[in-house]
Amino acid sequence: MIPDHVRNRRSGSSQNRQMRNVRVVVSDAAATIRRLSWRTKCFLLATLCLSMYIYGSLIVSLTRNHLVDDAFLQTDKCPACYGHSLCWAFKDNQIKLKGWSQVRLLDFVNIKNVHFAEHSEHGQTMVLKKLAHDKELDEIDEKLCQDALRPVGCDIARVLMRTNTGDEIRRLGLLPKHLKGTASMFSCPTYNLIDKVMESYKEKLKPDNPEVMTRDKLQLYVTAITNPEPLMLQTFPSSDGWPFPEYYGACGRFIAVSYEGEPLYNYYNAPWPKRVNLMKKPLWNQLHENRFDECDGKNCLTFSTEDLCSRMESDLNYYAVCRNLLSKYANDADLGMPSGLLHDMPNFAVDDWDLEHLLNECVHPTATEGRLKAKERIIHALENLRNVEDSRDAAHRIS
Ligand SMILES: Nc1ncnc2c1ncn2[C@@H]1O[C@H](COP(=O)(O)OP(=O)(O)OP(=O)(O)O)[C@@H](O)[C@H]1O
Ligand SMILES: [Mg+2]
């Protein structure tokens, strides 16, 4: 056994040796750096600073939740924004950016401003979108400042009400002329369309209050001129069967929608059977046949949007015409048209052309694809009956 004093002496000498080695390495490195030219020294220093900046930013990005940051969400722009219904969930750390979306340094390549996030409780993936490039958003701000006769860079939130359009919206309400041409959704705006958009608008300041405030109208106007996508998603919600992503809400200049899978270009190099199968739903090529609905003897049109959107062909429009316009089942009380447009048809229409029976068959067919078959025969019958009536009119005029 080695005595303690000998063992200590040995470990002390090995420590001294290590220290000497470190000193030699450091002085060698210092001498090498001293020998470098000034240009190389500057380059090394710049590279060092840049790496520290990149690593620092990465660490900050990955450890911080940017969705609690008002500057990132641009909530200070509101009501020149998309809304605020999700702000509480963002502030409550319920939603967090994920993957590359966490890294702010990469925002300059993310020109479409689309980020991916996750709900921490439900685990569902969502897509956060600014709906425009930064440059486009700047241009909109600029336009609003000009409309308010303010210099570029004005405080949009404060001056929005003072823009010419904003002032008119405050005084007269949101009118079709304010939205006309702002987006394809508003190519032909009507009061009805505005009412429908307002009705489904989730971003009202007081969502439970039916009253729409001026602030809500201004916010809706700015959304329309920026990108009508959130208005489309709210007016035609996926819960009603529309084939769009689900709208979760908005905060500042971000909206959140459901993640709908990878883009099609990701499948470009996928095997042929995979590509040919994409989008294909069961029964997609089987005719969608709508069922007759009695509706207490009144006009009505009931159908499943889910079936309608998943099939290639549907007989809905023929059903609607036969059910609510032509046949005896049509009963438009408002227009005072009981028994349909073709009521009291002459005997030759009933007997020679079987028109009454065909219309009934079109309303509730007794055979598979019966409505389409009946439709063909109805068109043929009407074509001939129309010619008979035309020749009768002509004969009447001559006599
Ligand atoms: N709900 C979503 N689910 C999955 N990916 C999405 C979703 N929304 C957008 N993306 C992805 O982000 C990209 C950009 O979306 P964005 O809606 O900004 O533009 P776009 O759909 O390409 O064109 P448009 O301006 O006509 O909407 C899409 O191409 C798609 O890859
Ligand atoms: Mg899109």
Side-chain angles (χ1 to χ4, degrees):
M1 191 170 159
I2 305 170
D4 273 358
H5 66 280
V6 176
R7 201 177 335 152
N8 287 344
R9 207 179 323 136
R10 275 191 188 172
S11 68
S13 66
S14 83
Q15 269 176 6
N16 288 343
R17 223 181 5 257
Q18 278 172 0
M19 284 300 292
R20 254 200 320 277
N21 286 345
V22 170
R23 252 183 255 127
V24 170
V25 170
V26 170
S27 63
D28 279 359
T32 312
I33 290 174
R34 251 182 266 121
R35 276 198 298 274
L36 292 175
S37 69
W38 271 109
R39 197 181 287 180
T40 316
K41 279 182 195 159
C42 288
F43 174 75
L44 278 179
L45 191 67
T47 314
L48 185 73
C49 291
L50 189 67
S51 325
M52 280 170 59
Y53 174 71
I54 290 174
Y55 282 118
S57 306
L58 260 177
I59 291 166
V60 170
S61 279
L62 295 173
T63 50
R64 213 170 115 198
N65 182 10
H66 297 271
L67 297 180
V68 297
D69 183 357
D70 283 315
F72 179 68
L73 299 166
Q74 295 188 293
T75 43
D76 58 321
K77 301 270 183 186
C78 291
C81 69
Y82 306 125
H84 47 268
S85 61
L86 265 192
C87 289
W88 65 274
F90 285 174
K91 293 271 142 87
D92 201 26
N93 270 307
Q94 289 186 19
I95 298 166
K96 289 187 178 148
L97 292 167
K98 62 186 245 182
W100 293 112
S101 297
Q102 293 173 87
V103 184
R104 294 285 61 76
L105 267 183
L106 296 180
D107 282 352
F108 78 100
V109 283
N110 184 4
I111 48 168
K112 284 220 159 193
N113 283 320
V114 174
H115 300 277
F116 296 91
E118 195 169 69
H119 196 288
S120 50
E121 275 168 36
H122 312 144
Q124 98 229 70
T125 300
M126 25 175 92
V127 182
L128 305 185
K129 318 211 275 185
K130 270 175 111 172
L131 300 166
H133 303 186
D134 286 341
K135 194 165 171 294
E136 291 166 336
L137 291 168
D138 289 345
E139 280 166 11
I140 284 165
D141 289 353
E142 211 172 293
K143 224 166 83 184
L144 291 172
C145 288
Q146 274 170 9
D147 196 19
L149 305 176
R150 301 291 153 104
V152 175
C154 69
D155 185 346
I156 293 293
R158 301 184 82 177
V159 307
L160 185 58
M161 187 90 85
R162 295 190 180 87
T163 59
N164 286 324
T165 319
D167 181 54
E168 213 173 81
I169 291 174
R170 182 181 59 79
R171 286 184 292 109
L172 310 173
L174 190 58
L175 306 177
K177 70 170 182 176
H178 298 132
L179 298 177
K180 186 160 177 62
T182 53
S184 50
M185 180 180 179
F186 298 111
S187 299
C188 316
T190 57
Y191 287 98
N192 270 352
L193 177 64
I194 295 178
D195 285 350
K196 176 141 180 64
V197 172
M198 293 271 194
E199 236 170 63
S200 354
Y201 193 48
K202 287 183 177 176
E203 301 299 339
K204 283 185 233 164
L205 204 56
K206 297 179 185 165
D208 299 328
N209 193 338
E211 188 198 350
V212 186
M213 300 162 82
T214 299
R215 190 188 156 91
D216 302 328
K217 294 176 193 161
L218 291 173
Q219 190 172 274
L220 202 149
Y221 164 71
V222 174
T223 304
I225 62 171
T226 312
N227 190 331
E229 188 171 316
L231 303 177
M232 289 277 286
L233 299 181
Q234 290 172 79
T235 312
F236 306 103
S238 62
S239 54
D240 285 358
W242 293 98
F244 301 133
E246 187 178 344
Y247 179 81
Y248 294 135
C251 183
R253 284 195 162 167
F254 277 91
I255 66 159
V257 298
S258 58
Y259 175 69
E260 294 298 326
E262 293 179 44
L264 284 181
Y265 56 72
N266 280 10
Y267 292 92
Y268 186 76
N269 291 318
W272 162 253
K274 175 82 194 165
R275 278 179 284 143
V276 80
N277 254 324
L278 285 171
M279 291 183 290
K280 187 179 157 201
K281 295 212 174 181
L283 304 176
W284 68 279
N285 56 357
Q286 205 175 87
L287 175 73
H288 172 230
E289 296 185 78
N290 286 270
R291 269 204 233 122
F292 170 65
D293 192 342
E294 181 65 57
C295 287
D296 299 327
K298 296 194 191 105
N299 268 9
C300 76
L301 189 62
T302 45
F303 55 89
S304 147
T305 42
E306 201 179 325
D307 285 347
L308 208 57
C309 295
S310 57
R311 306 288 186 89
M312 195 168 72
E313 210 185 348
S314 168
D315 62 5
L316 178 66
N317 286 347
Y318 301 121
Y319 171 58
V321 171
C322 295
R323 166 74 180 80
N324 293 328
L325 184 65
L326 300 180
S327 73
K328 67 176 183 201
Y329 296 93
N331 185 7
D332 199 319
D334 294 340
L335 293 177
M337 290 206 323
S339 306
L341 190 66
L342 297 182
H343 64 94
D344 297 320
M345 58 180 74
N347 285 344
F348 61 86
V350 178
D351 299 334
D352 300 349
W353 294 100
D354 210 13
L355 192 57
E356 195 173 52
H357 167 73
L358 289 174
L359 287 174
N360 289 346
E361 191 66 11
C362 175
V363 173
H364 46 97
T366 49
T368 314
E369 302 199 3
R371 186 169 289 130
L372 286 196
K373 288 173 196 153
K375 172 266 294 185
E376 287 300 329
R377 292 178 59 198
I378 291 169
I379 290 173
H380 180 65
L382 289 177
E383 198 62 35
N384 283 280
L385 287 165
R386 191 166 63 93
N387 289 339
V388 169
E389 290 305 315
D390 284 351
S391 53
R392 278 189 186 180
D393 278 357
H396 184 67
R397 273 201 303 276
I398 291 165
S399 67

